[in-house]
Amino acid sequence: MPAIAPHAIDAIRRFNRFHTRWVGALGGDLHGSGFGLTEARVLYELAQRDGWRAGELARELGLDPAYLSRLLKRFVTLGWLARERAEGDARALKLQLTEAGQAAFRPLDQASCDQASAILSRLDPAGQTALVGALDLAQRLLSGDSAARRMVTIREHRPGDIGWVISAHGRLYAQDYGWDISFEALVAEIAAKFLREFQPGRERCFIAELDGAPVGSAFVVRESEEVAKLRLVLVEKRAQGLGLGKKLVREAVGFARAAGYRRMVLWTNDILHAARAIYVAEGFRLVAEEKHHSFGQNLVGQNWELAL
């Protein structure tokens, strides 16, 4: 077992104290419902699914069966819960909320939704995305489910994304290929022109997200009335192996085709082997190449095109 840093333990305990106070778990009146946290959670589970068995529900929630039994008896007394013998097992009881139980649950459910909406309303769209991604990541890590599917999305750009595109290109190409700052300057010029002269319906920036954080990009820009240009295709190292590069290129090609372009072109360098493999797989063909000295390196530039 790896050593656990004291500051990591402190961080977990600090967040637990913050969260229990923040959601009102310390009192007995969650969302003003009159329910304590445990009662509210049991009611929630009963509202989501008919046919729970008491033992099954106790295991799912990690509750002492005797304590859960007392809660369920209270719900029965209030007329919120019906119990009937399970088929094939006369000792087991199936649980089902009555109409009165569902009516008691609805205000609690709405209050919980309202609280979540109020939290998210304090954040801008980027902050909301970051929060959702962080919560999803925390849940996956704490559950120990390493096989859980990672959340991958591709969307159009939003304010702030273009700055990330410039930074990511400059950082990754310096790390992987030793390209100097003139490459980042070129990316900044391309990105600034895209924003300044953006033509909705004819141009688009696709941003790939992994667990709510940007990890990839691809741009479609207008070269001429009939020709679109694919630019700034990139995937962060932590997202490689998920097929995001191929997905981004396919989104770009699909957009260019739907926008009415006849051809798509791109410029790259022969050392970018992974990108070139994607272009070949998607039907691009190499039409010209030329040696050049750029970004502090001796390179071979290549022009590729695809008939749409």
Side-chain angles (χ1 to χ4, degrees), residues 208-275:
E209 288 187 335
L210 178 63
D211 298 330
V215 292
S217 67
F219 286 59
V220 179
V221 299
R222 181 184 180 276
E223 184 84 346
S224 70
E225 190 61 28
E226 294 190 347
V227 180
K229 192 166 189 177
L230 178 62
R231 312 202 77 169
L232 303 182
V233 177
L234 172 132
V235 176
E236 291 268 21
K237 290 181 180 180
R238 68 180 184 276
Q240 292 174 4
L242 300 176
L244 278 180
K246 182 180 293 185
K247 290 179 182 178
L248 284 163
V249 171
R250 286 184 176 176
E251 289 280 357
V253 170
F255 171 80
R257 186 174 285 123
Y261 290 109
R262 303 290 296 276
R263 283 191 301 132
M264 175 168 261
V265 301
L266 65 89
W267 179 81
T268 188
N269 286 276
D270 69 342
I271 61 171
L272 305 180
H273 303 296

Side-chain angles (χ1 to χ4, degrees), residues 32-295:
S33 64
F35 298 111
L37 179 61
T38 305
E39 292 175 303
R41 180 60 190 276
V42 171
L43 193 60
Y44 172 85
E45 295 297 339
L46 292 170
Q48 304 311 302
R49 170 185 149 189
D50 290 336
W52 278 109
R53 300 186 186 193
E56 181 185 17
L57 184 56
R59 289 190 297 272
E60 175 69 19
L61 297 180
L63 293 176
D64 174 67
Y67 175 55
L68 176 62
S69 179
R70 291 194 295 272
L71 286 182
L72 296 178
K73 286 179 180 178
R74 177 174 177 242
F75 290 170
V76 170
T77 301
L78 292 170
W80 295 351
L81 183 67
R83 297 185 289 188
E84 62 181 34
R85 295 294 175 186
E87 296 180 6
D89 187 352
R91 296 172 301 174
L93 295 174
K94 292 195 302 183
L95 309 173
Q96 181 174 343
L97 283 187
T98 63
E99 289 186 9
Q102 293 286 355
F105 170 70
R106 280 193 288 272
L108 176 64
D109 190 45
Q110 185 60 53
S112 181
C113 289
D114 290 345
Q115 183 193 52
S117 296
I119 293 166
L120 292 169
S121 68
R122 304 174 201 161
L123 306 173
D124 60 20
Q128 293 178 18
T129 298
L131 176 61
V132 171
L135 293 174
D136 180 73
L137 177 60
Q139 182 175 338
R140 287 193 294 104
L141 290 173
L142 294 175
S143 69
D145 185 6
S146 60
R149 185 174 180 82
R150 305 188 74 181
M151 185 175 66
V152 174
T153 57
I154 295 178
R155 58 170 176 79
E156 295 182 46
H157 73 283
R158 296 194 292 249
D161 285 330
I162 304 303
W164 171 82
V165 170
I166 298 168
S167 173
H169 274 78
R171 169 171 42 83
L172 289 176
Y173 279 82
Q175 291 173 354
D176 292 350
Y177 304 105
W179 291 11
D180 64 24
I181 199 169
S182 65
F183 175 66
E184 188 170 350
L186 173 64
V187 175
E189 291 170 2
I190 295 169
K193 182 178 180 182
F194 174 82
L195 289 177
R196 188 170 55 248
E197 302 177 6
F198 180 57
Q199 299 180 38
R202 297 287 281 168
E203 298 184 317
R204 183 161 295 179
C205 166
F206 293 96
I207 297 293
E209 288 187 335
L210 178 63
D211 298 330
V215 292
S217 67
F219 286 59
V220 179
V221 299
R222 181 184 180 276
E223 184 84 346
S224 70
E225 190 61 28
E226 294 190 347
V227 180
K229 192 166 189 177
L230 178 62
R231 312 202 77 169
L232 303 182
V233 177
L234 172 132
V235 176
E236 291 268 21
K237 290 181 180 180
R238 68 180 184 276
Q240 292 174 4
L242 300 176
L244 278 180
K246 182 180 293 185
K247 290 179 182 178
L248 284 163
V249 171
R250 286 184 176 176
E251 289 280 357
V253 170
F255 171 80
R257 186 174 285 123
Y261 290 109
R262 303 290 296 276
R263 283 191 301 132
M264 175 168 261
V265 301
L266 65 89
W267 179 81
T268 188
N269 286 276
D270 69 342
I271 61 171
L272 305 180
H273 303 296
R276 289 171 53 226
I278 292 172
Y279 303 146
V280 170
E282 296 306 309
F284 283 85
R285 64 185 185 90
L286 178 64
V287 295
E289 60 182 358
E290 183 179 6
K291 294 180 179 179
H292 65 105
H293 183 85
S294 303
F295 323 128

